[in-house]
């Protein structure tokens, strides 16, 4: 099975929501969005950010944008004005999630997942 990174099929945007970060993953194609719907679970994202996300992870689908949005609770060390973290606003969390690897199912072509 072929492994791909999320950055191969999507782009991201992230930022702070108090003491949590908000990470949106936006698929380039409908086929990419279907793969994200199936494979990109809150549990996988929580595991990917296990060293910084001390709370739960909420997942919200935004089908009209081909996007999935995640809220990573308790991931910013108190938030922008309280945190001593280098990235107290979670601006790098989107890029970090794009480095996550997924298995590309045999019935899906990478060409169908790119613009």
């Amino acid at each position: 099975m072929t492994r791909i990174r999320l950055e191969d099929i999507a782009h991201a945007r992230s930022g702070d929501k108090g003491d949590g970060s908000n990470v949106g993953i936006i698929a380039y194609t409908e086929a990419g969005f279907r793969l994200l719907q199936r494979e990109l679970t809150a549990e996988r994202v929580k595991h990917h950010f296990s060293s910084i996300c001390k709370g739960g992870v909420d997942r919200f689908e935004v089908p009209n944008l081909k996007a999935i949005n995640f809220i990573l609770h308790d991931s910013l060390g108190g938030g922008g004005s309280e945190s001593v973290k280098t990235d107290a606003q979670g601006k790098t969390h989107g890029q970090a999630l794009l480095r996550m690897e997924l298995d590309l199912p045999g019935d899906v072509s990478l060409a169908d997942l790119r613009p």
Side-chain angles (χ1 to χ4, degrees), residues 20-67:
S21 63
N22 175 40
V23 183
I25 300 293
I26 306 99
Y28 296 128
T29 66
E30 287 294 331
F33 179 61
R34 288 191 300 274
L35 181 64
L36 294 179
Q37 285 178 300
R38 187 172 60 212
E39 300 294 329
L40 195 57
T41 64
E43 294 77 21
R44 287 184 88 167
V45 171
K46 170 72 174 169
H47 178 69
H48 187 74
F49 285 106
S50 62
S51 65
I52 64 164
C53 183
K54 305 306 178 197
V57 173
D58 294 326
R59 177 184 188 261
F60 304 93
E61 291 188 14
V62 190
N64 61 321
L65 298 177
K66 298 186 295 270

Side-chain angles (χ1 to χ4, degrees), residues 12-16 21-24 87 89-95:
R13 180 151 172 92
S14 59
D16 62 311
S21 63
N22 175 40
V23 183
D87 182 15
Q89 284 82 32
K91 298 295 184 186
T92 61
H93 293 176
Q95 191 62 37

Side-chain angles (χ1 to χ4, degrees), residues 78-91:
S81 60
E82 295 180 30
S83 180
V84 295
K85 290 187 173 197
T86 303
D87 182 15
Q89 284 82 32
K91 298 295 184 186

